Amino acid sequence: MSALRWGRGAAGLGRVLQSCGRRGLPTEEGTLGVGLGPRRSSSASPHEKDLRKDWGHVELLEVLEARVRQLQAESVSEVTVNKVDVARLPERGGGGGNFQPPRKAQMGAKGAAPQHFGRWAAKLDKEKQTMQKRKQRLEVKLQVRAQRLAQKLPKPLQMEPRLVSGQLADSLRCGAQGTPLEEQLAQALQEAPRKLSLKEEQALADREVEAQLTGQQQTLLAFFECCLLTDHLHLAHHVLVAHHGNPRKQQLLTLAMYNTIMLGWARQGSFKELVYVFIMVKDAGFTPDLLSYAAALQCMGRLDQDARTIQRCLKQMARDRLQLQDLFTVVPLSEEERAALLRAIVKARPTFRPRLRPPPQVNTSTLLREVYAKDGPVSYPKLHLPLKTLQGFFQQQLHMELTASVCVESVEKAVLTKETMHARKTLTNLRVQWEAALHRALQETKASLARQAHEGRPTLYPFLCLLSEHEFVRLLTQTLQALPAQGKSFISVAQELGRRTFSRHMVQKQQLNNQVQALERRYTQYLRLLASDTQVAEPHLPRQYWEALGLPEAPQEKPWPVPVLLQLGRQLAELLVQAVQMPRSPAAPPGSCGLIPVLYHVYSFRSFRQIGILKPHPAFVQLLATAAEPMLTFETVDVPMLCPPRPWTSPHSGAFLLSPTKLMRAVEGTTQHQQLLERCPPAELHGALDTLTQLGNCAWRVNGHVLDLVLELFRDKGCSRLGVPPPPSEAPQPPEGRLPRDTPPARKAELRREMARCLKVAREMHSLRMDALYRLSLAQHLRHRIFWLPHNMDFRGRTYPCPPHFNHLGSDLARALLEFAEGRPLGPHGLDWLKIHLVNLTGLKKHASLRARLAFANEVMEDILDSADQPMAGRKWWMEADEPWQALACCVEIARAVRTPDPATYVSHLPVHQDGSCNGLQHYAALGRDSVGAASVNLMPSDLPQDVYSGVAAQVEAFRRQDAEQGLRVAQALEGFVSRKVVKQTVMTVVYGVTRYGGRLQIERRLRELSDFPQVGGPVASGNLISPPTTGSARGSAPLARLISHTGSAVEWVTPLGIPVIQPYHQEAKFTIRGGIQSITCSKAKDSSQKPNIKKQKNGFPPNFIHSLDSSHMMLTALHCYRKGLTFVSVHDCFWTHAADIAIMNQVCREQFVRLHSQPILQDLSAFLVKRFCSRAGRLRRGAGLPARPCSRPPPSAPSAGNFDLEQVKRSTYFFS
Amino acid sequence: MWVPVAGLPPRLKLSALAGAGRFCIWESGASTRKHFPAKNHRGFSDSYPQLLPYPDFNESPSSVSKCRLEPKRYVTSRRLAETVAQILRGKLERPRHLLLECNPGPGILTQALLRTGAKVVALESDRTFIPHLESLRKNLPGSLEVIHCDFFKIDPRGGGLVRPPTMVSHTLFQNLGIEARPWSAGIPLKVIGIFPIKNERRTLWKFLYNLYACTSIYRYGRIELNMFIGEKEYQKLMANKNSNLYDVLSVLWQIACEIKVLHVESLKPIEQKLYFIQMRPRRGLFTENLTPVNYDVFFHMLKHCFGKRSARLIDHLHSLTPVDAKDILMQIQKSEKVKVTHMHPQDFKRLFETIECSKDYAHKWLYDDSMGDTEHPEK
């Protein structure tokens, strides 16, 4: 000890370790214990003793006792061992975990000591009567024994900090000897922080960029936060103290961690512990920040401390240059916490009033002014359903989300044979066993992790307490069920388990916090806006109405960092591998033969990499196949919603009722988008939030007629051409039969290749089949219901429905299965639009005018009616269409309409599409006001639709002819091969900045597809075919992006609607999480803390920018259509609405395109980039840590514009058609 | 010692390993060891290729340098060439095997081989040497054939357009009039060459996959390789159990072939040895339970085992096969404590075969094709 002290002094730290006031660490226990004992007991105040009683072993005991009960059922020998442990434990628990001689003596005197110490106690009694001396000796002996015991058993949780600073330690010691805690806190507050200048910046950086925390720190912080959630605050405090007391480990601690624990104590109103942490914060050299003070004040508010203490705290806060008002605006607080905090402040400053929440801000973007204008005609659509029905729907959805998963009947009908029934029975029996085994394994793991946590290590223990054991077991059995036959990579299993745990925990948390009831009340109110039979005072957008109904939702818990998520997932996956077993032969009765594992952790070798795979035993796979269980299980978030989604009100609340959903979808673990959105002023996002809400509010239903036909095909032999995947029975069969013994190896090799081919085909077929099975089963499940598809967006603002399997974004088949739940009468022109839509779907009359398309539809009316009446038996006209299933659905709709006495009154549910023709080029042409380009992509009015691809092909052909005449061999060879198809892909991608090389490859591929093309000339010829880019913008912008990424940050911009965009392309960095069943290596390429990937940033910029424009156009159209009462959904540049409303939608779509491009888009972009990347202020705002280099030169100004008159777009028929 | 040759474009230099004088290395770019005095060159002039530089060197340097991405070794010493030719001639066997010489380069060895009366097919990947080899062919009509072909890149995976010097073995062998021989028959032809310096390991793997699968050149029977190989890879190839170098590659090659060292040549200035080894596929490689149909399972088993080489074999068996591991170990008469590195190559084969023919199990392996390393490490 003294050597240690000396060593530290010599190191010049100037801090003397104080030996008292510290609980012994394992290594010091033996030497320190005896001397310290008496002093400790005198220094502990009675209050502290009481507290200590509650801590310590109680939790651990519960776990151990549970384990004993478990074991009693199994083995006797184990129980006896455990009994001894437990018999000893309660005593220690009861004794408060302190082994102090006086106490022991008292216990002995009372004779109440349990059997174990009985011998000693009896002896002591006897001796006491006779000899004082011997008693004292005995006391010493007892103590030694107690200490020996203490070494064996987990130590009591440590509450008092071990401090580095001598001064603080002194004050703490004094405090322990009787100074009131308030004084201690005051002293701690005034203690000048030593490392202020250095640490302050660091703390700031830590808050700003959490991604900069190392993996260890992330784990530690997550541990603390999770302890708070699961009521293991003492444990968290213990681990904090243990880390704080160890100079090496102390470096891991950040202010956020201390704040977390402090907040925990504040919520419990434990002032003493809060002061301990506060002292530790000072001791570690951090300056307390708003969060720290908020916690301290909250605690004081709860305990009703006297004004003097509070005043002192406020004074110190002012000295730290923190604003009192910020406590209420910056710090996220629940309602109840806010009240406690306010109580404390008002006591010291009776006049203080927290600043009221600012009134709901209004978006100021010029583009959106009309959308949010209070005057003018507004007719927001209502749903066609009454309030009662909608409330019922809400209850169904709520129930579904609370149970976390949905069972859906599979559309695959198994033949019920005897084997099937037997297999099902076996499985049921096995599952009962597995659940028991998993319960057992989970408890064991928890017990062992709890022990480790008591030793001061941050383990996964609190995470395993988040959900009930039952819930974990259910999660694991579901995972087992869903594991594919060929296995699944360990890392993805782990990730999924981690993610699901988080999502279930979030749902559960809301349930416990009574947020569900609050939501129910608010949602019911909200439905009055949407229901058909209720009225609201003045028109509101759904988001506005929702906001008016109450306070904004508190920001939700942040998703766990990826390393934590993976560690938890790995732990759970390990449980699954270890615990789940089945008899060697599943047919045998249980217990008759040995058990083998169901899951195997195996490695696959790809080149030089090893990939861990969880693979089910083939027998288990077979058992599942035989049982052909009729139920599929989906996570709630994978199924469409049964009631209108919660409106998006902020980047963290919207869509599903309880399950957390991201506003901006991104790869797991990416935080930069969310951070950017959270930083953005709320009103800026209104455009996006309202669009997503509105797209999600569109009610859908299943087109039963199409579903029946598809199911018929699906259950029969399928049909690849129509997109119905055939069943496995249709897969090519590998050659059967055993080979004769003397088959030469070469023949066997051939056989092997044949088998491999069959297997590959079968596997591809299987995955297609499963995809279709999920989709059709969900469709069948939702057949007679109305459902909603909540939406979110990608990082460029393009919108997507959240449920993955069944939505309107999928293939032709998927789209044909859906129709609007609400119908509209066709009106005067609706039928014509239906017919034109049908012709569009067939793809037959791409170059014809609308009139000609309509005429064609009337011409083939007989075929249409035939298709509608006898889809499978008739002339099958619909099957030849580009989009056969949608065409069929349209045929049926037309047939029904024309057979109505007055087609104008026919109520149609079918969505009619309007497609942007080469939408990317349209935006390019408009940006550059390029007349030639505008004409070729239908921005100019014209009698016939223009086809840019044909145009380019014609031009290339003209050049070719010139070259051929001059005798160029390649040009001659190409005669007759320059077609629309050859150039299409290249033209499409040229706008997105495809390189010369990429374009050459594309053309080479197309040329090779032409069957009669002389193959030799291909590579040479393709080089000569590349067409010059139509506009210079794409080329111009790429170097700009490169310039930005060279400065060390990702390219960012803001869409005209105000959505902040950041390109998520970063250099890949790997991190490895060691330990457990296997180390997990994964790449963290997706965060702003990483250096940008310059090439991807550069190449990605032109297409992403154009996509951010087309998404803006879509959003503007959507918002204006909503104001006009239309039903509107979109698939990027394809807009859908009812046949009757096509004319209105077309008008809005054109107007908004003109309005969008009337904005100085490129100038704005340029200005933003200059401000963001070329000014010092802009760079600093990004937070520390990035090696920012100033731009060497300002970005080039916007390219000069051509002379195209935008207004012409409004009159162009084929702009969207 | 790397001597730049005058008259060559600066990017392309022929450097002869004059110190040893038995091999020379072609390399593009500047030579690296300039401290060797130039007089060495003269001292060993007898081993220096006389025929260089070629007249067409200056005419098409660019086309040469394109294929010159990796350095290649050539036999340039007449003495060494004689030795090798004598070894290959061996006892007077009748009929003499056809010899496939890979990358003969300056043709020193080719000439030596021809002098022993052998029939040689020269597969040269470098266009530069072809005119010279052609001239050799004209001198000795009937016994030499020259083909522009890179033997080590034969039958590329993934298909696509195959352009010379890459070739498909089927075309090559058909053109040469070589017919497939059954595995149990004799050796159809011998291949002589030097493993590519940079890619020895990859090439070894490629041959292994082809050998066990009976594809590519091994479709034509038990083709014998006579190759110069670097010391490092040689030691790995021949490593015995308990050695640190003992690895999947050693096991697989030792099971597949009889490997004999025919000659050892030391490269003086760089303190390395080149081993001239004979790799003759074993007649009994394929058995009833180890065939080209299931060889990939065998490969996977070995890779798995050597993934954690210090572990006990039984632990690996638990995640390789559902078959009772103890039972299997008993059958191959190994203790439960046996470690991976304690297993002889043939023990592994026996282990595999034992599991393959275990009767009571419907499923013998946890491995399936989707996990397989269907493409060998070259890709």
Side-chain angles (χ1 to χ4, degrees), chain A residues 486 584 600-608 613 615 617-619 622 741 745 748-749 752-753 759 763, chain B residues 213-215 286 288 291-293 295-296 300 303-304 318-319 322 361 363 366 368-371 373 377 379:
Chain A
Q486 70 268 22
R584 191 172 291 282
Y600 291 82
H601 177 243
V602 299
Y603 283 100
S604 150
F605 299 87
R606 301 273 148 83
S607 257
F608 293 112
I613 288 182
K615 197 171 158 58
H617 192 294
Q622 206 164 34
R741 270 188 91 106
K748 286 187 181 163
R752 189 194 133 69
R753 276 196 293 278
L759 204 68
R763 202 163 281 141
Chain B
C214 262
T215 50
F286 298 114
E288 200 178 340
T291 64
V293 181
Y295 81 94
D296 52 337
H300 181 260
K303 284 180 180 173
H304 206 288
H318 282 314
S319 48
Y361 295 89
H363 307 281
L366 289 165
D368 75 41
D369 260 16
S370 62
M371 291 159 56
D373 184 10
K379 279 285 150 189

Side-chain angles (χ1 to χ4, degrees), chain A residues 362-390:
Chain A
V362 182
N363 187 295
T364 49
S365 154
T366 43
L367 279 171
L368 293 171
R369 201 186 305 133
E370 280 176 30
V371 176
Y372 294 114
K374 286 279 167 214
D375 50 343
V378 181
S379 57
Y380 294 134
K382 281 190 158 250
L383 291 170
H384 59 294
L385 301 160
L387 186 65
K388 271 268 167 299
T389 319
L390 286 171

